[in-house]
Amino acid sequence: MGQANRVPQKYTGIDKGEGLIKEAQEIYSKLQYNTQFYVCDLETAVMERKYDMAVSHAFLLHMHNAKDILQKMKESVLPHGKVICFEPHWIGGMANYYVEDMQQSNVV
């Protein structure tokens, strides 16, 4: 597809932390991306089905209702859209820990 036919991409960020949203706005204001940022609690937000992709990073592990959040993410993407979640695993997080004569899994 030629450059003239490309649809401009937009990044939308959501966080209930006003400071985090402000920081993101400052960072992205120096870049040439089309962005929107909202201070919003995803647990109570009403999501519209309008995104190609919904992404979370190290977020679901902090939620008591991760399945509900995943459902909201699913409802926010267009048909055939993607939901991508990056969540750390304790083995990866503990990979650099060493305690003499102990199994790594016992350190946690």
Side-chain angles (χ1 to χ4, degrees):
M1 198 161 38
Q3 196 71 316
N5 295 333
R6 293 193 73 190
V7 176
Q9 296 180 2
K10 179 183 275 185
Y11 174 83
T12 302
I14 299 171
D15 198 288
K16 68 179 177 180
E18 199 169 317
L20 292 173
I21 291 294
K22 186 175 181 176
E23 184 178 347
Q25 288 170 327
E26 289 173 13
I27 291 169
Y28 276 83
S29 71
K30 299 172 185 145
L31 304 173
Q32 294 183 7
Y33 294 106
N34 186 3
T35 60
Q36 291 178 289
F37 293 98
Y38 298 100
V39 176
C40 160
D41 185 343
L42 192 57
E43 292 180 278
T44 58
V46 176
M47 303 303 295
E48 294 179 36
R49 189 175 298 269
K50 63 180 182 177
Y51 299 103
D52 295 316
M53 184 183 305
V55 180
S56 70
H57 186 262
F59 174 70
L60 295 174
L61 73 143
H62 299 289
M63 305 310 303
H64 294 290
N65 57 351
K67 287 183 181 179
D68 293 342
I69 299 298
L70 279 170
Q71 184 61 38
K72 281 191 176 216
M73 292 175 73
K74 181 180 170 184
E75 292 169 0
S76 74
V77 297
L78 297 167
H80 306 291
K82 304 290 182 209
V83 174
I84 301 171
C85 302
F86 300 94
E87 295 297 324
H89 189 278
W90 69 267
I91 291 174
M94 297 297 291
N96 61 340
Y97 282 76
Y98 172 77
V99 178
E100 190 172 337
D101 296 328
M102 288 190 77
Q103 291 289 328
Q104 183 186 38
S105 59
N106 292 334
V107 174
V108 178

